[in-house]
Amino acid sequence: MTTSYVIDAVRTPRGRGKAGKGALSGLHPQELLAQVLNTLQKRQGFDAREVDDVMAGCVSQVGEQGANLARNAVLAAGWPNEVPGVSLNRFCASGLQAVHFGAMAVGSGAMDLVISGGVESMSRVPMGSDGGGQDGGNTHLRERVFQVPQGISADLIATLEGFSREDLDALALRSQKNAARAIEEGRFAKSLFPVKDPHTGSVLLARDEFPRPDTTAEGLATLKPAFTTLGETVAGPKGETLDQLALAAYPRAKTIRHLHTAGNSSGIVDGAAGVLLASERYVRERGIKPRARIRAMTTLGSEPVLMLTAPAPASQKVLRLAGMKASDIDLWEINEAFAGVVLQTTRALGIDPERVNVNGGSIALGHPLGATGAMLLGTALDELERTGKQTALITLCVSGGQGIATVLERL
């Protein structure tokens, strides 16, 4: 393996993921990703024919997001027919997994120039639209392990860890305040580009639409738990509720305290992102100055009922691969799928919370499932350059019990 270089990273603003209400809800997801491709080309000036592949994460690959969204986005961008595209799904880690696959391709010498990223239009293709649920309806698999929805898992984690509602809300408030400061100070400006109507050229959205900078602790405290009724849903073969099925795997919890709300869980949004990756050969021959390199990357499986605790061991694994310790990392991007996930990961790794999600996270900004991983990498890179720091670790929890982690090193 040689070095995998990051040449550039861009993203759309995140639009509210509500049909007819979000600023991006009128735009086909292929067009969202197409604008990412053309923005990267405009910024870097490469010939599109040089792109060996476009790799795009997308979770709900059905309807408008089916039919190999990545290839259709290439065509929608007006790029040459020779440029291929592939869509992939590792649930919430899809965008970062696309970056991993692209880094593997250029690092191995198999390819020279790759665009990796992701897209999710949650207003047009709502979460769960593929009908697969947690396990594709496989009753035989359920005899071995009965996976519960992520909200139940998040509340189970909070219960087992002893987190209070106040703990979760405090992290959510910090996310909102950090995001508000980042927006006010223009910290996202380097990667962010305005999304335009492909027919009229008018700007649809130029800044993130989801954050609520006026959020208060008092307001968060008034929100009702989001997953209480879900936990009471009968789903087991013997009439067990989802809570009972989760407790069967973790009886020491005794009862699940439902603490996560709409205010301390990730937001539903539309968005797309892309990362331009290049090989050593391409960088040398073109005389390009890369912004960063992928120092190490990994994925890891974990217990599928608790499901969301893999970011910590995945981070430990990638740190071993990089020859580093947690204390060596300057900035952490831990995806805010749920507040409890970030708190559990931070505690397990013993890291300084002030280094985590310094510009807010998915609670404030939203979580466009297939795109988030690539967005987090771009956010981390911008912040490393802004502050003159050197290393960042990006990690996400993944449905079904998986984790992903990447060490990024600024050049």
Side-chain angles (χ1 to χ4, degrees), residues 17-52:
K18 292 188 177 182
K21 295 183 179 179
L24 301 181
S25 63
L27 192 62
H28 197 289
Q30 293 174 9
E31 300 293 340
L32 267 181
L33 186 57
Q35 292 194 32
V36 168
L37 303 181
N38 282 327
T39 298
L40 281 169
Q41 184 184 31
K42 183 178 180 180
R43 282 168 55 128
Q44 294 299 321
F46 56 83
D47 183 342
R49 290 178 176 82
E50 295 180 325
V51 177
D52 292 304

Side-chain angles (χ1 to χ4, degrees), residues 18-217:
K18 292 188 177 182
K21 295 183 179 179
L24 301 181
S25 63
L27 192 62
H28 197 289
Q30 293 174 9
E31 300 293 340
L32 267 181
L33 186 57
Q35 292 194 32
V36 168
L37 303 181
N38 282 327
T39 298
L40 281 169
Q41 184 184 31
K42 183 178 180 180
R43 282 168 55 128
Q44 294 299 321
F46 56 83
D47 183 342
R49 290 178 176 82
E50 295 180 325
V51 177
D52 292 304
D53 210 351
V54 172
M55 305 177 182
C58 183
V59 174
S60 296
Q61 294 188 32
V62 65
E64 292 183 343
Q65 292 184 164
N68 192 357
L69 189 156
R71 169 59 176 169
N72 283 309
V74 169
L75 300 177
W79 282 20
N81 292 337
E82 293 83 0
V83 181
V86 61
S87 304
L88 60 96
N89 180 11
R90 197 190 287 276
F91 298 113
C92 297
S94 298
L96 194 57
Q97 184 61 60
V99 173
H100 282 196
F101 283 154
M104 292 174 195
V106 300
S108 68
M111 297 181 183
D112 282 322
L113 194 65
V114 171
I115 294 176
S116 296
V119 61
E120 204 82 31
S121 179
M122 301 180 76
S123 63
R124 298 173 71 95
V125 188
M127 186 165 49
S129 292
D130 66 358
Q134 297 297 127
D135 56 16
N138 185 346
T139 55
H140 179 67
L141 173 59
R142 289 177 184 175
E143 293 174 3
R144 301 183 61 186
V145 55
F146 202 115
Q147 300 172 65
V148 297
Q150 288 189 27
I152 305 298
S153 297
D155 283 338
L156 179 57
I157 290 169
T159 300
L160 292 171
E161 294 283 339
F163 298 140
S164 68
R165 170 68 182 271
E166 290 74 20
D167 294 332
L168 304 183
D169 284 351
L171 186 138
L173 183 60
R174 180 174 183 269
S175 181
Q176 293 285 357
K177 289 185 177 298
N178 284 357
R181 180 185 61 196
I183 292 169
E184 180 67 24
E185 296 179 359
R187 295 188 185 185
F188 299 138
K190 190 167 187 177
S191 292
L192 199 65
F193 70 90
V195 175
K196 298 180 179 180
D197 185 311
H199 303 292
T200 67
S202 62
V203 173
L204 296 174
L205 187 63
R207 58 185 288 164
D208 293 306
E209 191 177 28
F210 191 79
R212 295 175 173 84
D214 58 349
T215 298
T216 63

